[in-house]
């Protein structure tokens, strides 16, 4: 009965000795209506909810394999060696994201006999199909926990809401069970200390090979941040870099994996090569950002904040993805940092990942257009238009307000688990 949300009083639970026959009948006749309410709320029957769907082999070939390339001809031997170190550090972010999204991957992957299913699990960082609303595709996997591995599996929203603990909504802490069963916080840099020590060492070694002094300083600051969870100084330094031909975005950044509250950030990494020619074409758009903010069709209070003036737009080729940005699908554009204080002080940087974007245009958008767009209009479909549409989606992320009007905190914090969906909708519409 509890599965259907029915509360039975102690008197009712005593059975015939404590309940009149008519009361029994009345309670039993309520069951069909209760089940219907459950079905309407959850979109499936209670029995279906407990039984994961059967694996669908037809889903295992939905991805198009492509080869991402980048021109490294303008880089020195030291810079090329540095890229190797950045990739090794990125692989550690991959390990950490597995732990946050699912747990140790070894037992899962070794237990999947079908190579196609195993590869599908590797791409999805777990037994849930990320492009099909996290539907399980491994028998017995069960539904994906909304809180991933950021929270105890048996923790309820109500327990978390009632927990009086400063910083419980922090970006860089895990919520764990203490020995007495209560909740406690465990900082990332403690929970993942061995892996983060290795990653920080690789970033410091890479800094010794960096040609651009600002990039070298950023790598050292980012190494420190991985070991302290204090990312703001390195975010500020990242905003100040303008001339580095090699780029690295690394650390716990986006909060999409936390579908319970949208609080906790997941580890990821990008290793990028700047496309100087394309970046030059985009640079002119950055000057219009303050004007775009002033022109938003909303009341003055909702455009009163002035984004930082150091914002820029650049194009890159991806040479490595790891962790969250690699899960299920590959990111094609970035607007960072997410820190509202950095955004107001410095602005944001928009990184357009050109080779990945070209691959998605060729292998996804054009085939869809061949089905949906009239033949005499297909000549208007172009990569430049696709690139521009994606770019201005990222521009839109930086517009609007980042803090609530009543001064109670950030918009992102107030919206909790709805923040990501609403923010992406805002950017698409704008």
């Amino acid at each position: 009965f509890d599965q259907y949300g029915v509360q039975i009083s102690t008197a009712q639970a005593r059975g015939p000795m404590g309940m009149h026959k008519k009361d029994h009948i009345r309670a039993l006749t309520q069951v069909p209506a209760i089940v219907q309410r459950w079905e309407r709320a959850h979109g499936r029957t209670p029995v279906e909810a407990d039984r994961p769907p059967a694996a669908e082999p037809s889903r295992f070939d939905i991805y198009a394999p492509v080869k991402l390339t980048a021109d490294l001809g303008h880089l020195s031997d030291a810079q090329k060696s540095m890229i190797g170190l950045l990739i090794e550090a990125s692989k550690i972010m991959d390990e950490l994201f597995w732990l946050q999204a699912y747990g140790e991957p070894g037992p899962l992957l070794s237990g999947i006999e079908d190579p196609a299913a195993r590869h599908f699990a590797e791409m999805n960082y777990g037994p849930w199909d990320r492009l099909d609303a996290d539907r399980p595709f491994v028998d017995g996997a069960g539904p994906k926990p909304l809180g991933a591995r950021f929270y105890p599996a048996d923790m309820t929203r109500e327990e978390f809401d009632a927990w009086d603990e400063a910083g419980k909504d922090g970006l860089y802490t895990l919520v764990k069970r203490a020995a007495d069963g209560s909740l406690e916080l465990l900082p990332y840099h403690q929970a993942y200390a061995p892996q983060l020590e290795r990653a920080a060492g690789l970033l410091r070694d890479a800094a010794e090979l960096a040609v651009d002094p600002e990039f070298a300083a950023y790598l050292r600051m980012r190494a420190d941040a991985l070991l302290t969870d204090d990312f703001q100084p390195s975010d500020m330094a990242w905003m100040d870099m303008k001339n580095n031909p090699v780029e690295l975005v690394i650390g716990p950044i986006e909060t999409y994996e936390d579908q319970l509250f949208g609080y906790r950030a997941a580890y990821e990494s990008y290793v990028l090569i700047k496309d100087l020619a394309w970046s030059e074409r985009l640079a002119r758009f950055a000057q219009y950002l303050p004007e775009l903010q002033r022109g938003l069709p909303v009341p003055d209070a909702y455009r009163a904040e002035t984004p930082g003036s150091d914002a820029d737009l650049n194009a890159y080729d991806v040479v490595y993805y790891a962790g969250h940005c690699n899960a299920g699908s590959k990111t094609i554009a970035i607007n960072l940092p997410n820190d509202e204080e950095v955004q107001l002080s410095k602005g944001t940087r928009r990184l357009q990942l050109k080779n990945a974007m070209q691959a998605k245009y060729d292998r996804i958008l054009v085939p869809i257009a061949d089905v949906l767009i009239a033949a005499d209009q297909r000549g208007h479909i172009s990569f430049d238009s696709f690139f521009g549409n994606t770019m201005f989606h990222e521009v839109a992320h930086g517009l609007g307000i980042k803090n609530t009007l009543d001064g109670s905190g950030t918009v992102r914090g107030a919206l909790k688990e709805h923040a990501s969906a609403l923010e992406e909708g805002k950017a698409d519409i704008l």
Side-chain angles (χ1 to χ4, degrees):
F1 274 88
D2 288 340
Q3 183 180 9
Y4 308 126
V6 180
Q7 298 295 322
I8 303 174
S9 71
T10 305
Q12 289 173 319
R14 281 198 290 265
M17 295 296 291
M19 187 188 298
H20 191 275
K21 183 178 179 181
K22 286 188 294 186
D23 294 325
H24 272 296
I25 295 170
R26 188 178 301 115
L28 290 170
T29 56
Q30 290 175 355
V31 170
I34 292 162
V35 172
Q36 288 174 358
R37 287 202 301 274
W38 201 98
E39 290 171 348
R40 285 197 299 270
H42 296 273
R44 60 205 188 281
T45 68
V47 173
E48 287 171 343
D50 288 340
R51 186 195 310 126
E56 293 187 39
S58 61
R59 293 282 299 170
F60 298 160
D61 62 358
I62 64 170
Y63 293 99
V66 296
K67 188 172 184 178
L68 294 181
T69 60
D71 181 9
L72 306 183
H74 59 295
L75 301 180
S76 67
D77 289 342
Q79 287 173 314
K80 292 174 184 176
S81 297
M82 178 188 70
I83 290 172
L85 293 173
L86 300 182
I87 289 174
E88 290 304 310
S90 300
K91 290 178 180 178
I92 297 172
M93 299 302 106
D94 223 45
E95 296 175 29
L96 296 178
F97 182 69
W98 260 108
L99 295 178
Q100 293 181 319
Y102 171 78
E104 288 288 350
L108 170 70
L109 299 177
S110 63
I112 302 175
E113 295 183 3
D114 179 2
R118 190 183 313 117
H119 186 49
F120 200 68
E122 290 171 343
M123 288 188 288
N124 283 277
Y125 292 78
W128 305 289
D129 186 346
R130 289 173 177 268
L131 300 188
D132 190 19
D134 289 325
R135 186 177 180 183
F137 59 87
V138 175
D139 288 338
K144 183 180 180 184
L146 292 177
R149 295 294 294 271
F150 298 115
Y151 307 90
D154 61 349
M155 188 199 78
T156 64
R157 288 175 182 266
E158 292 74 19
E159 181 183 13
F160 184 86
D161 289 339
W163 183 32
D164 185 16
E165 177 71 19
K168 70 178 185 178
D169 58 350
L171 286 165
Y172 313 121
T173 56
L174 299 174
V175 179
K176 310 290 283 186
R177 284 274 178 221
D180 63 0
S182 62
L183 299 177
E184 64 179 4
L185 294 175
L186 179 62
Y188 283 3
H189 71 272
Q190 294 178 16
Y192 310 119
Q195 297 95 328
L196 294 173
E197 288 282 358
R198 285 191 288 126
L202 288 164
L203 294 189
R204 293 189 180 107
D205 291 344
E208 297 300 317
L209 298 174
V211 173
D212 183 74
E214 289 183 336
F215 187 56
Y218 163 72
L219 291 176
R220 295 187 182 99
M221 294 175 73
R222 205 63 177 178
D224 293 340
L226 289 175
L227 301 179
T228 61
D229 295 325
D230 181 10
F231 290 92
Q232 191 174 89
S234 60
D235 281 345
M236 292 285 192
W238 187 73
M239 284 299 303
D240 292 336
M241 292 190 307
K242 303 295 182 186
N243 303 310
N244 48 306
V246 179
E247 182 63 89
L248 176 72
V249 177
I250 191 169
I253 298 171
E254 302 291 0
T255 60
Y256 303 119
E257 193 69 10
D258 178 3
Q259 297 178 46
L260 189 63
F261 293 108
Y263 289 152
R264 262 102 198 141
Y267 284 97
E268 63 185 335
S269 185
Y270 306 77
V271 182
L272 312 170
I273 307 299
K274 192 172 187 177
D275 187 312
L276 300 177
W278 271 76
S279 294
E280 187 119 348
R281 290 170 55 187
L282 302 181
R284 64 190 180 93
F285 290 115
Q287 64 183 300
Y288 296 116
L289 297 179
E291 183 179 339
L292 290 171
Q293 174 80 340
R294 291 192 298 271
L296 290 175
V298 295
D300 290 345
Y302 292 96
R303 55 185 176 185
E305 293 178 0
T306 302
S309 58
D310 288 341
D312 59 12
L313 298 164
N314 288 294
Y316 298 82
D317 285 327
V318 188
V319 295
Y320 201 79
Y321 286 97
H324 180 266
C325 61
N326 193 45
S329 63
K330 285 180 165 53
T331 302
I332 58 174
I334 308 169
N335 176 57
L336 290 173
N338 289 328
D339 187 317
E340 289 83 2
E341 291 183 22
V342 178
Q343 290 183 9
L344 291 174
S345 173
K346 300 277 189 179
T348 60
R349 290 175 58 192
R350 285 89 171 172
L351 294 77
Q352 312 301 304
L353 311 184
K354 183 170 62 68
N355 59 347
M357 209 179 288
Q358 182 75 58
K360 289 201 177 187
Y361 174 81
D362 292 338
R363 300 300 297 272
I364 300 175
L365 186 138
V366 171
I368 290 174
D370 287 342
V371 175
L372 295 181
I373 305 299
D376 62 345
Q377 294 186 33
R378 290 177 196 160
H380 299 295
I381 300 165
S382 70
F383 176 69
D384 281 3
S385 300
F386 180 60
F387 186 97
N389 182 67
T390 305
M391 178 181 71
F392 280 106
H393 168 102
E394 298 305 326
V395 167
H397 277 312
L399 302 177
I401 58 170
K402 303 302 176 182
N403 297 289
T404 58
L405 297 187
D406 62 4
S408 61
T410 64
V411 173
R412 179 172 48 163
L415 293 176
K416 296 185 180 179
E417 73 272 23
H418 304 296
S420 296
L422 288 169
E423 176 62 32
E424 294 302 326
K426 179 201 85 174
D428 278 342
I429 292 165
L430 192 52

